Amino acid sequence: MEKLEGYQLAALIDRAEYQRFGETATVCALILHNGFVVIGVSGCLNPADFDETIGRDEAYKDAFAKLWQLQGYHLKTLFAESEAHSWPQLKKSYW
């Protein structure tokens, strides 16, 4: 694997749960298959402009971006630790 792809991250997600706070804030919790939870948020300045669908979409995007960072760090650590041993094997077998 030369780079991390969105479909690989999507495969880690079991489900997304949403909660609205107040009149303008939305939180998305991505629950991964391993039980880990990644949180994303979105907000709107004017309650009159709040759209629940947009709020959910933006909160999901925020959580997904955080998952991308976390998984990128995790894979980089795995590759660095295995570089002296079997880097090509790990790259092929991880996904």
Side-chain angles (χ1 to χ4, degrees):
M1 176 182 57
E2 295 300 319
K3 68 180 190 174
L4 190 55
E5 301 283 352
Y7 73 90
Q8 295 166 318
L9 295 172
L12 301 174
I13 301 170
D14 180 47
R15 66 187 183 281
E17 296 182 5
Y18 299 90
Q19 179 67 47
R20 182 174 170 184
F21 291 94
E23 298 180 9
T24 60
T26 306
V27 174
C28 172
L30 296 180
I31 295 91
L32 308 184
H33 292 293
N34 67 4
F36 192 78
V37 178
V38 180
I39 301 293
V41 298
S42 69
C44 176
L45 293 176
N46 184 352
D49 293 333
F50 181 79
D51 180 295
E52 187 171 350
T53 301
I54 293 172
R56 284 176 171 238
D57 288 346
E58 292 302 315
Y60 183 93
K61 288 177 190 175
D62 186 48
F64 198 84
K66 291 175 183 177
L67 175 58
W68 204 300
Q69 292 174 346
L70 291 167
Q71 192 65 7
Y73 171 80
H74 172 68
L75 290 175
K76 183 68 173 180
T77 299
L78 287 177
F79 293 159
E81 290 173 352
S82 67
E83 189 172 28
H85 299 96
S86 180
W87 175 285
Q89 182 63 20
L90 177 65
K91 288 169 59 172
K92 291 178 182 175
S93 67
Y94 184 76
W95 293 102

